[in-house]
Amino acid sequence: MAYLEREHGRRVYFEDNGSGDRAIILIHGWGMSLRLWDYSLPVLLDAGFRVVALDHRGCGRSDKDFANMSISAVAGDVTALTQQLGLRQVALNGWSLGGAVAVEAAASLGSTCKALVLTCGATPAYLQKPDFPHGGTEEALAETMGAMRTDRVNFLRALSEGVCATDISESMVQWMWQIFMDASPLAAPMLAELGPLDQRETLRGLEAPILSFVGGQDGVVDPAVCRSVADYNDNTRIVEFDNAGHAPFLEEPTGYHDALITFLNEQF
């Protein structure tokens, strides 16, 4: 197993498949792990890409006792991992909250980041703002945080059931639920960070081309949030799956991977 050494001896788990000095880095959503990319990994490898994936602090096989489990800290891990592996060019693919991580990491990496993919990303803002009508409300996020504190097990079970809008097997729901349960409850504050999150100016400053995947029936991130990325960066391509929920890579795998690989080949 491979680990990135971080502050105070804490470690971030990652997997590195393929070779070369350019790679796609897969960044999972809140409370999950890199295992959610298991359906994408072989497809991307078959297409000739080096694929790197990491577990957020507090999630998967990464250490659970980081003092800092913020979005910025995970973005810093992505940047540090890019440097440790000697990657000259990267494409970042962030799913859900991982989209916010990917945006921050892309800004830090500068010209090293050749492409940014947002898969149902919780960016530029997860909640509504006075001049941003998309997303949820502060009250709804507060209810979510309260429900998680009160009954974490059943909250995460319900979340697992709501990730996909299309019919998926009970075993797949169980799989996602187990991954959620493996994360530390101390990772919850990272989710709360989505409240004040506003990355509109960051998106405006990015030079890398952006691909934003939208699930038309997404019940986790408002589809209008994902569409709005194009309002803040002209070099954005929107690909929408009308019937998919929050995980088109599981619900519409062929269409998702075809669009992703086409985009990556164009940038690399």
Side-chain angles (χ1 to χ4, degrees):
M1 294 191 292
Y3 288 93
L4 173 72
E5 299 288 338
R6 300 298 279 162
E7 68 272 16
H8 308 301
R10 304 302 190 269
R11 304 183 305 166
V12 169
Y13 175 74
F14 70 93
E15 295 180 1
D16 179 13
N17 292 277
S19 61
D21 60 0
R22 62 185 187 182
I24 177 170
I25 300 180
L26 303 176
I27 307 168
H28 65 76
W30 173 82
M32 298 302 278
S33 85
L34 58 77
R35 293 275 67 85
L36 257 289
W37 296 111
D38 281 357
Y39 288 83
S40 298
L41 174 59
V43 179
L44 292 170
L45 287 173
D46 286 346
F49 297 104
R50 180 176 179 179
V51 184
V52 177
L54 73 161
D55 284 338
H56 291 188
R57 298 167 176 228
C59 298
R61 293 182 176 180
S62 289
D63 287 344
K64 303 297 195 297
D65 55 350
F66 277 94
N68 184 356
M69 297 192 194
S70 65
I71 290 172
S72 291
V74 178
D77 295 336
V78 173
T79 300
L81 183 57
T82 299
Q83 295 167 346
Q84 176 172 302
L85 296 178
L87 298 175
R88 182 174 55 87
Q89 296 179 344
V90 298
L92 304 180
N93 185 354
W95 171 51
S96 194
L97 179 143
V101 172
V103 168
E104 185 161 336
S108 176
L109 287 166
S111 61
T112 300
C113 181
K114 296 300 181 184
L116 174 63
V117 181
L118 304 171
T119 299
C120 300
T123 183
Y126 182 67
L127 300 186
Q128 299 167 15
K129 305 287 188 290
D131 57 346
F132 187 81
H134 318 301
T137 64
E138 292 183 3
E139 293 76 15
L141 182 58
E143 289 178 5
T144 294
M145 300 303 297
M148 188 159 35
R149 285 191 298 269
T150 301
D151 188 357
R152 180 172 179 267
V153 171
N154 286 305
F155 170 81
L156 293 176
R157 168 68 191 197
L159 181 57
S160 302
E161 293 172 345
V163 167
C164 297
T166 55
D167 289 335
I168 60 172
S169 66
E170 172 62 21
S171 59
M172 186 169 284
V173 172
Q174 286 287 124
W175 172 60
M176 288 190 281
W177 186 30
Q178 183 59 61
I179 294 173
F180 272 127
M181 291 303 301
D182 282 342
S184 169
L186 300 181
M190 190 189 302
L191 184 61
E193 283 190 74
L194 291 178
L197 180 80
D198 189 342
Q199 295 182 320
R200 287 177 286 180
E201 288 304 314
T202 305
L203 282 174
R204 286 190 177 102
L206 295 180
E207 296 184 3
I210 301 172
L211 171 61
S212 181
F213 283 110
V214 183
Q217 305 302 316
D218 194 337
V220 179
V221 174
D222 180 0
V225 167
C226 306
R227 298 185 194 109
S228 77
V229 173
D231 297 334
Y232 304 102
N233 191 298
D234 292 337
N235 199 6
T236 299
R237 180 182 308 174
I238 303 294
V239 174
E240 183 158 350
F241 297 95
D242 294 339
N243 298 317
H246 193 51
F249 52 93
L250 299 177
E251 300 173 88
E252 299 277 357
T254 300
Y256 174 86
H257 293 124
D258 285 350
L260 175 60
I261 290 168
T262 296
F263 177 74
L264 293 175
N265 280 329
E266 290 172 356
Q267 311 319 319
F268 281 152

